[in-house]
């Protein structure tokens, strides 16, 4: 009997810098779980990075390496998942082009992230053809592997809805080629950065996986806490404390409840409380740091692993593109 076909998972990250604790609390554990069960494709989306970083294009290659090392060191396994670089699989660009022919312009003009990003990042000119097509390229990434599951955060919901609409439209106009991809919502706990705002690379407040233990210690020791605790004797409210968002992600509930009580009754100091999450992170990241050191010493191994992934991805993408061209009548 033919084996039931496994679900195909695809997701991607833009190579704009090393990964931080937000990724460790959200996407990464989810991706690790999925690779045990499904056929997973994880891609470093260099062209998506270029759509906003074209004035800084030289950074993309290095950041591709950074993301790849982060992925491998945290446990994404090239024996289980296809880890690859988007711009090394040129078929994505061809599908992007073909899809662009059938997408009504208003579908793209009403994408909330298109206007939002332009407003949020006024120092970059994002009013470009390429940036308008960002969700089309993302759709090509997904459809070219006939992925049916796409693990992403809430912020990608609109892009996924669009990918589904585009798949339907292609199937209707030409021939049914693509399954409609389902969004697999990743619960990302809200993590605060060192200044108390949302942790984000662009705010300069992030704690990176690759930060050495002494840097993690220093960043968390000086991180802002609940403002009510001006003195050691002032009770605090953990729910209002940026540091406690880290406890929620990385410290066991039991230990965390005990610290919360200590905070509310001023029986512990903030430094005592911070120490617990610092030690939890160091324990969690130690195996990752060891693997990272090995990859950093052998950078060519990392590029070779990616090239293996590129080859596997290409084979699947080429097969889909044969079907796509045939459906169109080329
Ligand atoms: N737009 C996604 C993000 O910013 C990255 C991405 C590109 C992606 N292509 C994808 C995510 C395909 C999932 C599937 O996070
Ligand atoms: Fe935050 Fe902990 Fe200090 Fe309370 S004791 S304010 S939870 S760091």
């Amino acid at each position: 009997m033919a084996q039931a076909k496994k679900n195909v998972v695809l997701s991607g990250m833009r190579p704009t810098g090393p990964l931080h604790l937000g990724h460790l609390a959200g996407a990464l554990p989810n991706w690790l779980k999925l690779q045990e069960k499904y056929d997973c494709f994880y891609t470093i989306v260099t062209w998506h990075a270029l759509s906003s970083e074209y004035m800084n294009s030289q950074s993309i290659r290095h950041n591709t390496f950074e993301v790849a090392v982060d992925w491998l060191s945290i446990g994404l396994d090239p024996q289980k998942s296809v880890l690859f670089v988007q711009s090394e699989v040129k078929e994505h660009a061809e599908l992007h082009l073909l899809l662009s022919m059938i997408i009504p312009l208003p579908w793209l003009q009403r994408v909330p992230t298109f206007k939002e990003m332009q407003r949020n990042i006024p120092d970059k000119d994002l009013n470009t053809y390429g940036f308008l097509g960002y969700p089309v390229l993302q759709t090509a990434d997904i459809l070219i592997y006939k992925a049916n599951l796409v693990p992403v955060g809430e912020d990608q919901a609109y892009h996924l809805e669009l990918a589904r609409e585009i798949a339907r439209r292609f199937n209707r106009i030409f021939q049914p080629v693509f399954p409609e991809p389902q969004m697999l919502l990743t619960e990302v706990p809200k993590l605060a950065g060192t200044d108390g705002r949302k942790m984000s690379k662009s705010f300069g407040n992030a704690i990176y996986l690759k930060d050495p233990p002494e840097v993690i210690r220093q960043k968390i020791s000086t991180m802002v806490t609940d403002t009510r605790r001006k003195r050691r004797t002032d009770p605090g409210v953990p729910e209002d404390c940026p540091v406690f968002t880290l406890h929620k992600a990385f410290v066991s509930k039991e230990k965390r409840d005990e610290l919360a009580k200590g905070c509310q009754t001023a029986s512990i100091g903030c430094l005592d409380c911070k120490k617990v999450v610092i030690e939890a992170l160091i324990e969690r990241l130690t195996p990752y740091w060891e693997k990272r050191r090995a990859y950093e010493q052998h950078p060519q191994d990392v590029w070779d692993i990616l090239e293996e992934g590129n080859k596997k991805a290409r084979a699947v993408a080429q097969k889909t593109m044969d079907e796509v061209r045939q459906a169109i009548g080329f």
Side-chain angles (χ1 to χ4, degrees), residues 8-14 41 43-48 84-87 89 91-93 95-96 99 134-147 150 163 317:
V8 176
V9 172
L10 180 129
S11 198
M13 285 187 195
R14 280 173 302 134
F41 292 83
T43 178
I44 302 176
V45 289
T46 37
W47 282 326
H48 280 106
F84 72 101
V85 180
Q86 179 195 44
S87 52
V89 185
E91 287 75 8
H92 290 230
L95 184 56
H96 170 259
L99 295 177
Y134 185 109
V136 184
L137 183 57
Q138 180 163 352
T139 300
D141 297 340
I142 297 166
L143 298 187
I144 209 161
Y145 302 101
K146 300 191 179 182
V150 183

Side-chain angles (χ1 to χ4, degrees), residues 50-230:
L50 188 62
S51 75
S52 58
E53 301 302 311
Y54 58 88
M55 295 302 282
N56 184 25
S57 65
Q58 303 298 327
S59 65
I60 294 174
R61 185 176 163 83
H62 174 71
N63 286 330
T64 296
F65 180 82
E66 286 291 338
V67 171
V69 172
D70 274 333
W71 283 4
L72 292 166
S73 306
I74 210 72
L76 287 183
D77 181 348
Q79 307 298 331
K80 295 177 182 162
S81 302
V82 179
L83 309 178
F84 72 101
V85 180
Q86 179 195 44
S87 52
E88 293 300 315
V89 185
K90 312 296 180 196
E91 287 75 8
H92 290 230
E94 184 183 356
L95 184 56
H96 170 259
L97 175 79
L98 295 174
L99 295 177
S100 77
M101 304 301 171
I102 65 166
I103 302 174
L105 207 40
W107 288 17
L108 299 177
Q109 286 163 329
R110 69 177 189 225
V111 173
T113 43
F114 182 58
K115 288 262 152 60
E116 246 166 57
M117 294 275 282
Q118 293 186 33
R119 234 178 294 117
N120 294 350
I121 318 180
D123 51 321
K124 287 182 190 156
D125 183 359
L126 297 179
N127 199 16
T128 61
Y129 179 53
F131 195 69
L132 182 67
Y134 185 109
V136 184
L137 183 57
Q138 180 163 352
T139 300
D141 297 340
I142 297 166
L143 298 187
I144 209 161
Y145 302 101
K146 300 191 179 182
N148 27 33
L149 297 175
V150 183
V152 283
E154 182 65 55
D155 62 319
Q156 297 294 311
Y158 198 93
H159 290 169
L160 257 290
E161 195 41 56
L162 199 60
R164 294 160 61 79
E165 278 178 45
I166 294 170
R168 280 197 291 272
R169 186 166 167 85
F170 182 100
N171 292 345
R172 187 156 27 82
I173 295 179
F174 304 113
Q175 279 169 32
V177 172
F178 300 120
E180 279 180 40
Q182 304 289 325
M183 169 166 171
L184 204 64
L185 181 66
T186 308
E187 294 289 344
V188 185
K190 293 207 183 337
L191 287 199
T194 49
D195 60 0
R197 293 185 291 170
K198 177 184 177 334
M199 187 179 291
S200 155
K201 187 187 79 83
S202 48
F203 289 154
N205 65 2
I207 299 167
Y208 295 99
L209 307 191
K210 66 179 279 194
D211 282 342
E214 59 277 15
V215 173
I216 291 191
R217 250 191 214 106
Q218 183 263 332
K219 281 185 177 175
I220 296 180
S221 307
T222 54
M223 184 165 168
V224 296
T225 58
D226 177 19
T227 48
R228 292 180 190 83
R229 297 210 71 185
K230 285 196 188 59

